[in-house]
Amino acid sequence: MTIHGEPDARLIDALAHAESSVRLRAALSAGTLGDPRLVEVLVARCALEPDFFVRDMLTWALCRLPAEMTVPRLTVELGSTTAQARSQALHTLSKIGDRSAWPAVSELLHDPDDEVALSAWRAAVALVPHDEEAALAADLATALGRGEHPVQLGLSRALAALDEAAAPFLATAAQHPDPRVRAHALATEQLRRDPDSGFAPSLELAKRVAVTGSGT
């Protein structure tokens, strides 16, 4: 059904209300309504919404709209200078699951902002074509050693999700001259082999092994 005119002004105002509970209800209403005229408003709100739960509801609302309208707009948002806009667009694209967004998503795998990079890694695993999984694993492996624990865990989960496609690149990284990279590769391989293993203990053990190995 084609809907003409302007979207509900009261709903648009509610999406920017000072109270997060009001914004949450507005985002829920937007998703329930499913009005495609709200695409621009919802995407714009994602870029500046401070509340995690409201952002998640905004993503849900966008997922309820036609992908042929949301995916091109979200792909444009990946070029935003605002980190949250890029991160939330990546998150939403991963939930929509339209692989046409893959080329644009793959451009952000090494975004300087950690939250954007984390979102890009998750989205990449969800959207990568099957014949490009090895290339993605090779690219992700170059980021081993980046960041602190949450970033390293996010990268390890992405590589572990690629499973056998990531194995040869983790094996190579386990021989890297940088002990930080070696430790991260070893902990990631442990996670790949045993998803139920604790990442933090594995990383600490791998760090000791990596440092010991560098001294031999």
Side-chain angles (χ1 to χ4, degrees), residues 22-89:
V22 175
R23 300 197 304 276
L24 184 66
R25 288 195 298 272
L28 174 61
S29 296
T32 303
L33 184 62
D35 186 346
R37 296 172 301 179
L38 290 170
V39 169
E40 184 61 38
V41 174
L42 293 171
V43 172
R45 187 63 206 174
C46 283
L48 45 86
E49 172 55 52
D51 187 276
F52 169 82
F53 296 104
V54 178
R55 289 200 304 272
D56 214 38
M57 191 64 77
L58 290 168
T59 284
W60 175 79
L62 283 164
C63 288
R64 299 265 297 172
L65 298 175
E68 60 268 24
M69 297 184 68
T70 56
V71 171
R73 179 60 185 85
L74 289 165
T75 300
V76 170
E77 196 75 349
L78 297 183
S80 172
T81 57
T82 303
Q84 181 173 304
R86 301 196 302 278
S87 178
Q88 197 64 22

Side-chain angles (χ1 to χ4, degrees), residues 175-205:
Q175 305 300 319
H176 196 280
D178 185 340
R180 183 178 174 88
V181 174
R182 290 203 302 275
H184 195 183
L186 290 167
T188 303
E189 176 62 12
Q190 175 62 26
L191 184 67
R192 185 186 74 82
R193 290 176 176 272
D194 180 8
D196 294 326
S197 64
F199 178 75
S202 295
L203 183 59
E204 288 306 312
L205 176 59

